[in-house]
Amino acid sequence: MPDLLVRAQDLVVSGPARGHAVLGESYSFDLSDTRVEKTGVFAKPRRTPLSVTGALGDEPNLSSVREALVKIGTNVIPLGLELAKRPRHILVRRSAIDLASLRELLPPDRPSLSGRFHVESLDVQLDPLRITGNAALDSVETTLEHGPIRVSGPLRALGTKLVLENGSAVVGDQTVAINASYDLESGVLAASYDTANSQLGALLAALSGRSEVDGTLTSNGQLSASSADVAALAGAGRIDIRPGRIAGFSLAKSVLGTLTALPGVGDDSSGRDLSRYDDERFERLSADYQIAGGRVSTENLELAYQNATAFLAENPDIVQQI
């Protein structure tokens, strides 16, 4: 077919295509020179390898198409097919998918993508969508606004939910233990994390591009989001930094420096020397936090210096906009 054109809602297939089918023997369909595009989701450029081959039964209907070997880019993915009955099923058999070779299929405004997706076996039911089976993320890396994030770990598909168990994320060269789940029906993403003895400055630089606060971080918490909007983010947890520093700021000096304006406190005759409080390093910074409605609030905040300690317990006024 020198100029195939197929439209199905927002899916378009256009360009030359080659194929054959012999009942009781085999079939093949080659779209390597064809553009395949689903608006806003993916677009296969022409000349990117894409073909489907397999054995064919002797019945002139979809029940004869029971298997397929899909080649896309450098990847080869074996499939088992059950298309003649409802709901339809596609079985993704053992394979290792190189995500970097699929990056060119994504819209150009999407972030980079690399790593491998190892499939042990996945049974994909169509309409309604259900996925069961096991797979794994192997150093799957993408780029956030200020740096890359790399995720690894086993993935279980439990029908309507995808679950990452005992996984890890590397952000700013710091490793964070994570568990996460994604609900196919509601679109809710939930995650819990735990990090010990990580360098906070490197994490903040990778996540926000800022690193005024640094130190050795131990933290854990739970997060959830029903959409990519910041206002949809919710969660709670605890942070503990021991020791650390706040660049250009000392709470002890700031408070005590204000007190010197009181009569008698700042008199030269008092002999008070505030130089020992002139230190941006602290021994401990700990707090419980909550995230809701696009805001993060802290409770039980404790900031301890060598010579002074500040406490803040359940003060709703100490709230910062994300």
Side-chain angles (χ1 to χ4, degrees), residues 250-262 264-268 270-280 305 307-308:
S250 167
L251 178 62
K253 183 185 178 185
S254 177
V255 172
L256 292 173
T258 302
L259 292 177
T260 60
L262 298 176
V265 177
D267 293 345
D268 293 337
S270 68
R272 296 180 184 275
D273 181 9
L274 299 181
S275 62
R276 62 179 176 150
Y277 300 108
D278 189 11
D279 192 349
E280 61 186 22
Y305 291 86
N307 299 292

Side-chain angles (χ1 to χ4, degrees), residues 2 15 17 23 53 59 70 81 95 98 105 112 115-116 147 166 180 189 247 251 262 269 285 296:
L23 289 176
T53 60
E59 295 292 329
V70 178
L81 305 174
S95 53
D98 181 11
L105 306 181
S112 61
R116 287 184 174 272
N166 300 319
L189 175 66
L251 178 62
L262 298 176
S269 60
L285 171 60
V296 56

Side-chain angles (χ1 to χ4, degrees), residues 97-299:
I97 301 172
D98 181 11
L99 298 178
S101 70
L102 301 180
R103 173 60 187 85
E104 66 174 352
L105 306 181
L106 301 178
D109 59 341
R110 300 291 173 85
S112 61
L113 184 65
S114 63
R116 287 184 174 272
F117 181 61
H118 294 276
V119 177
E120 181 177 329
S121 179
L122 290 176
D123 185 350
V124 182
Q125 174 189 296
L126 306 178
D127 194 27
L129 180 62
R130 300 289 187 270
I131 305 175
T132 57
N134 297 285
L137 305 180
D138 181 5
S139 298
V140 174
E141 182 173 310
T142 188
T143 302
L144 304 178
E145 182 179 358
H146 300 283
I149 179 172
R150 185 168 66 252
V151 180
S152 299
L155 187 68
R156 291 200 301 152
L158 305 174
T160 62
K161 186 173 290 187
L162 304 179
V163 179
L164 176 67
E165 296 180 325
N166 300 319
S168 65
V170 179
V171 185
D173 292 327
Q174 308 300 303
T175 300
V176 180
I178 60 170
N179 291 280
S181 65
Y182 178 74
D183 192 288
L184 297 174
E185 292 185 332
S186 66
V188 172
L189 175 66
S192 63
Y193 74 92
D194 195 340
T195 179
N197 299 322
S198 296
Q199 295 305 304
L200 176 60
L203 281 172
L204 288 177
L207 293 172
S208 67
R210 303 175 62 178
S211 56
E212 290 90 342
V213 183
D214 197 3
T216 303
L217 172 69
T218 298
S219 180
N220 59 73
Q222 302 81 39
L223 300 171
S224 65
S226 56
S227 70
D229 192 279
V230 171
L233 184 65
R238 181 167 179 81
I239 60 172
D240 196 310
I241 308 168
R242 308 184 186 207
R245 62 184 291 270
I246 305 175
F249 174 76
S250 167
L251 178 62
K253 183 185 178 185
S254 177
V255 172
L256 292 173
T258 302
L259 292 177
T260 60
L262 298 176
V265 177
D267 293 345
D268 293 337
S269 60
S270 68
R272 296 180 184 275
D273 181 9
L274 299 181
S275 62
R276 62 179 176 150
Y277 300 108
D278 189 11
D279 192 349
E280 61 186 22
R281 294 171 298 175
F282 57 82
E283 293 186 346
R284 181 176 68 260
L285 171 60
S286 60
D288 298 313
Y289 71 85
Q290 290 187 344
I291 300 174
R295 300 171 70 87
V296 56
S297 59
T298 58
E299 295 180 347

Side-chain angles (χ1 to χ4, degrees), residues 23-100:
L23 289 176
E25 295 185 13
S26 65
Y27 73 94
S28 69
F29 202 42
D30 192 337
L31 298 174
S32 298
D33 295 325
T34 308
R35 180 172 178 82
V36 182
E37 180 175 3
K38 185 175 178 63
T39 305
V41 179
F42 65 84
K44 186 200 82 67
R46 295 183 178 181
R47 296 181 299 278
T48 296
L50 174 60
S51 65
V52 182
T53 60
L56 193 62
D58 54 10
E59 295 292 329
N61 54 51
L62 287 176
S63 65
S64 291
V65 187
R66 294 187 293 268
E67 62 179 55
L69 190 66
V70 178
K71 297 181 180 180
I72 179 166
T74 61
N75 294 298
V76 179
I77 307 171
L79 304 177
L81 305 174
E82 295 180 3
L83 304 178
K85 63 180 183 179
R86 298 296 180 93
R88 297 172 179 175
H89 283 257
I90 298 175
L91 177 64
V92 185
R93 298 193 172 107
R94 184 182 296 273
S95 53
I97 301 172
D98 181 11
L99 298 178

